[in-house]
């Protein structure tokens, strides 16, 4: 009897253990051995900020909705920058920022100027994130800025490409530009296309001024990181770049008249390609056709690679990535890192690639899906990924102070109102004054 009682006791104990294991097994993947919640399941409040000017609606469409769906235990608050919500104003009010996102063009002034930079290298290792799967130039650019660390991780990207109006080429019987074409080839095409068509002036080629300066193929930095001075007048490559991209295209007969009569003395604009349709070829960001889709009805366009420099065959523009960063002041760094890890996952990157956002993840699956859920599935999208990106030069806090001055003189050179050497010296002098003032 005692033996039967003992056997029954053991059986009950075993069954209880089995039942307990069965009841707990479905939750085990989300728990550690002590039964506590994993970091992804713990409630956390994360505040996200950007100097980009993205609206709340834009942030939610691009990132926020997906983050909230993936992490329902997280409370995600995006603060749009504006009056009263700049970083300095938020800090003065005692508001902490957990995640910052900005393009490489804003990064130094957004993160470093505000002393928010935090080396995520240890967290990247802990989360087993493979940076080699991301755009190499974007990763190396951030490592350079971070002194070998990683203050940000690229999530989306941008590149310069050539967009062209097929109707204008067809109208004048001119062959379309090819992938891999040189600047010289496109300048010649531009000359053929620049003409007066029954009183309507057409111009051939224009490269978006600001973005070309920031992402140039020579990898020229706007300000020397050692001297904190520009080198527009002393680095011969700046002269070559400006002459190739802006002065030679404007030498086509009728181009300067267009600048004076149609543009008030400045270079053409994106609107001339998209809206007015009197610009045959436009070099701009890949996102142009998606952000301006509502204005492109009836425009018969195609895409090709950015024109290449003869001395740098196969090299495209520098990437222009958006970096997400865990901030130094965040009290929820682990949760913030979980969010960023998700944003570079194949799941999220595939979704944004299908919409037409250039992904940071470079796997074949993600790249081949580019724009396939957009209205423009049949375009020459391999051109976006065909070239090797130029390396990103070191950025400084004063790049904007120099960029504004070089942008001011380039139209004058293109119009022949001043010579190149004088213009570049003027840009250097004025930029140095701006930088000295900014340092005070």
């Amino acid at each position: 009897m005692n033996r039967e009682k003992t056997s029954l006791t053991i059986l009950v104990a075993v069954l209880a253990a089995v039942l307990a294991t069965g009841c707990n097994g479905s939750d085990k993947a989300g728990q550690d051995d002590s039964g506590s919640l994993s970091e992804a399941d713990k409630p956390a409040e994360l505040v996200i900020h950007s100097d980009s000017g993205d609206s709340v609606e834009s942030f939610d469409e691009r990132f926020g909705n997906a983050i909230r769906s993936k992490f329902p235990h997280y409370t995600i608050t995006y603060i749009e920058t504006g009056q009263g919500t700049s970083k300095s104003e938020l800090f003065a009010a005692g508001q902490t920022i957990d995640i910052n996102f900005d393009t490489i063009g804003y990064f130094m002034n957004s993160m470093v100027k505000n002393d928010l930079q935090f080396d995520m290298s240890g967290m990247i290792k802990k989360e087993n994130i493979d940076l080699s799967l991301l755009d190499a130039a974007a990763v190396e650019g951030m490592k350079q800025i971070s002194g070998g660390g990683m203050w940000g991780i690229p999530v989306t990207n941008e590149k310069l490409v050539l967009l062209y109006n097929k109707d204008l080429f067809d109208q004048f019987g001119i062959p379309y530009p090819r992938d891999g074409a040189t600047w010289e080839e496109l300048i010649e095409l531009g000359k053929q296309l620049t003409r007066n068509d029954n009183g309507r002036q057409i111009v051939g080629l224009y490269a978006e001024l600001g973005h070309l300066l920031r992402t140039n193929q020579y990898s020229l930095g706007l300000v020397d990181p050692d001297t904190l001075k520009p080198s527009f007048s002393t680095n011969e490559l700046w002269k070559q770049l400006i002459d190739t991209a802006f002065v030679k295209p404007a030498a086509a007969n009728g181009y300067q008249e267009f600048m004076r009569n149609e543009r008030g003395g400045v270079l053409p604009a994106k609107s001339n390609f998209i809206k007015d349709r009197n610009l045959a070829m436009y070099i701009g960001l890949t996102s142009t056709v998606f952000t301006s889709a509502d204005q492109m009805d009836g425009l018969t366009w195609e895409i090709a690679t950015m024109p290449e420099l003869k001395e740098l065959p196969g090299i495209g523009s520098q990437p222009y990535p958006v970096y997400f960063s865990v901030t130094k002041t965040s009290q929820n760094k682990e949760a913030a890192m979980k969010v960023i890890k998700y944003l570079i996952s194949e799941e999220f990157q595939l979704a944004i690639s299908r919409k037409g956002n250039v992904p940071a993840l470079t796997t074949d699956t993600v790249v081949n899906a580019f724009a396939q859920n957009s209205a423009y599935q049949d375009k020459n999208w391999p051109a976006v990924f065909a070239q090797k990106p130029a390396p990103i030069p070191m950025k400084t806090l004063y790049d904007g102070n120099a960029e504004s001055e070089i942008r001011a003189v380039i139209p004058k050179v293109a119009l022949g109102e001043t010579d190149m050497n004088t213009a570049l010296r003027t840009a250097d002098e004025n930029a140095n004054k701006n930088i000295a003032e900014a340092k005070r």
Side-chain angles (χ1 to χ4, degrees):
M1 187 73 177
N2 289 339
R3 185 180 303 164
E4 291 176 358
K5 184 176 180 180
T6 301
S7 299
L8 181 61
T9 301
I10 294 172
L11 178 61
V12 170
V14 170
L15 286 172
V18 170
L19 288 172
T21 301
C23 291
N24 292 333
S26 62
D27 294 330
K28 182 110 181 210
Q31 296 180 357
D32 61 25
D33 292 338
S34 65
S36 62
L37 291 171
S38 71
E39 288 296 334
D41 290 329
K42 290 178 182 177
E45 295 185 6
L46 296 174
V47 174
I48 303 176
H49 192 265
S50 172
D51 283 358
S52 65
D54 262 22
S55 66
V56 172
E57 293 76 16
S58 174
F59 169 79
D60 285 346
E61 193 278 328
R62 295 172 68 195
F63 308 112
N65 293 337
I67 294 170
R68 294 184 184 100
S69 177
K70 189 69 176 180
F71 301 97
H73 294 81
Y74 291 177
T75 300
I76 305 296
T77 302
Y78 171 65
I79 301 178
E80 179 181 353
T81 192
Q83 186 174 358
T85 56
S86 68
K87 283 186 171 65
S88 59
E89 290 168 317
L90 291 174
F91 298 155
Q95 177 64 60
T96 298
I97 296 169
D98 299 289
I99 297 175
N100 184 78
F101 73 92
D102 272 305
T103 65
I104 192 166
Y106 283 99
F107 187 88
M108 293 297 289
N109 281 285
S110 180
M111 286 289 290
V112 180
K113 187 177 181 179
N114 290 293
D115 195 28
L116 289 176
Q117 67 272 22
F118 168 73
D119 186 7
M120 297 187 289
S121 299
M123 303 185 82
I124 290 170
K125 183 177 181 180
K126 180 181 178 181
E127 293 291 340
N128 295 315
I129 293 173
D130 187 356
L131 294 179
S132 70
L133 298 177
L134 304 178
D135 184 282
V139 171
E140 289 305 311
M142 180 51 64
K143 284 184 178 179
Q144 181 176 225
I145 291 172
S146 311
M150 282 296 287
W151 293 343
I153 295 178
V155 169
T156 65
N157 213 345
E158 280 283 12
K159 300 179 182 182
L160 292 187
V161 292
L162 176 72
L163 300 172
Y164 60 94
N165 184 326
K166 294 175 70 175
D167 288 339
L168 290 177
F169 279 84
D170 293 343
Q171 180 181 344
F172 303 130
I174 297 172
Y176 301 145
R178 66 179 181 87
D179 286 339
T182 63
W183 276 97
E184 287 75 15
E185 289 178 66
L186 291 196
I187 290 168
E188 180 56 36
L189 283 179
K191 288 179 181 178
Q192 297 176 41
L193 288 155
T194 301
R195 62 180 70 194
N196 191 295
D197 180 44
N198 295 319
R200 179 173 179 248
Q201 182 62 51
I202 307 296
V203 291
L205 175 66
Y206 167 65
E208 186 68 46
L209 178 56
H211 286 118
L212 187 125
L213 292 173
R214 293 178 214 134
T215 66
N216 67 84
Q217 290 154 299
Y218 286 126
S219 298
L220 295 168
L222 289 158
V223 174
D224 186 293
D226 296 322
T227 65
L228 295 183
K229 293 182 178 181
S231 61
F232 301 130
S233 64
T234 57
N235 189 332
E236 190 66 23
L237 291 179
W238 274 116
K239 184 185 295 186
Q240 292 182 32
L241 177 69
I242 294 167
D243 186 57
T244 299
F246 303 108
V247 178
K248 286 180 178 176
N253 187 34
Y255 199 116
Q256 293 179 349
E257 289 76 8
F258 177 87
M259 289 177 62
R260 292 190 183 96
N261 299 333
E262 303 288 335
R263 295 288 300 153
V266 299
L267 291 161
K270 177 174 67 175
S271 60
N272 292 117
F273 180 79
I274 291 173
K275 183 180 178 182
D276 301 327
R277 301 177 187 182
N278 49 12
L279 171 63
M281 294 181 287
Y282 171 71
I283 298 170
L285 296 175
T286 307
S287 61
T288 298
V289 295
F290 301 104
T291 57
S292 303
D294 59 336
Q295 303 176 55
M296 296 186 69
D297 286 346
L299 176 62
T300 306
W301 61 274
E302 188 50 276
I303 187 172
T305 57
M306 182 182 182
E308 297 176 4
L309 296 162
K310 287 189 297 185
E311 62 269 40
L312 293 173
I315 302 299
S317 70
Q318 300 166 40
Y320 199 69
V322 171
Y323 294 106
F324 273 67
S325 305
V326 177
T327 69
K328 180 188 297 184
T329 57
S330 174
Q331 298 301 306
N332 290 303
K333 288 183 173 64
E334 294 289 338
M337 193 67 200
K338 294 287 185 185
V339 167
I340 296 174
K341 181 180 181 180
Y342 164 65
L343 293 178
I344 58 171
S345 68
E346 186 161 275
E347 175 187 349
F348 183 79
Q349 292 284 305
L350 185 59
I352 65 172
S353 182
R354 285 171 174 159
K355 293 178 184 178
N357 295 309
V358 180
L361 191 64
T362 58
T363 61
D364 289 344
T365 300
V366 171
V367 168
N368 293 337
F370 187 76
Q372 292 309 296
N373 285 0
S374 76
Y376 309 121
Q377 297 178 16
D378 60 343
K379 299 300 181 182
N380 179 32
W381 296 122
V384 175
F385 306 97
Q387 295 167 314
K388 181 179 178 181
I392 298 173
M394 183 64 184
K395 303 296 182 180
T396 78
L397 289 169
Y398 307 106
D399 287 2
N401 301 95
E403 183 185 326
S404 61
E405 297 304 326
I406 192 64
R407 290 181 67 161
V409 300
I410 288 175
K412 294 180 173 63
V413 181
L415 282 170
E417 295 176 354
T418 187
D419 67 275
M420 179 78 78
N421 291 332
T422 300
L424 296 183
R425 283 196 302 269
T426 300
D428 273 344
E429 291 168 3
N430 291 338
N432 284 325
K433 291 176 184 177
N434 288 349
I435 291 170
E437 183 67 28
K439 288 179 179 178
R440 293 177 185 171

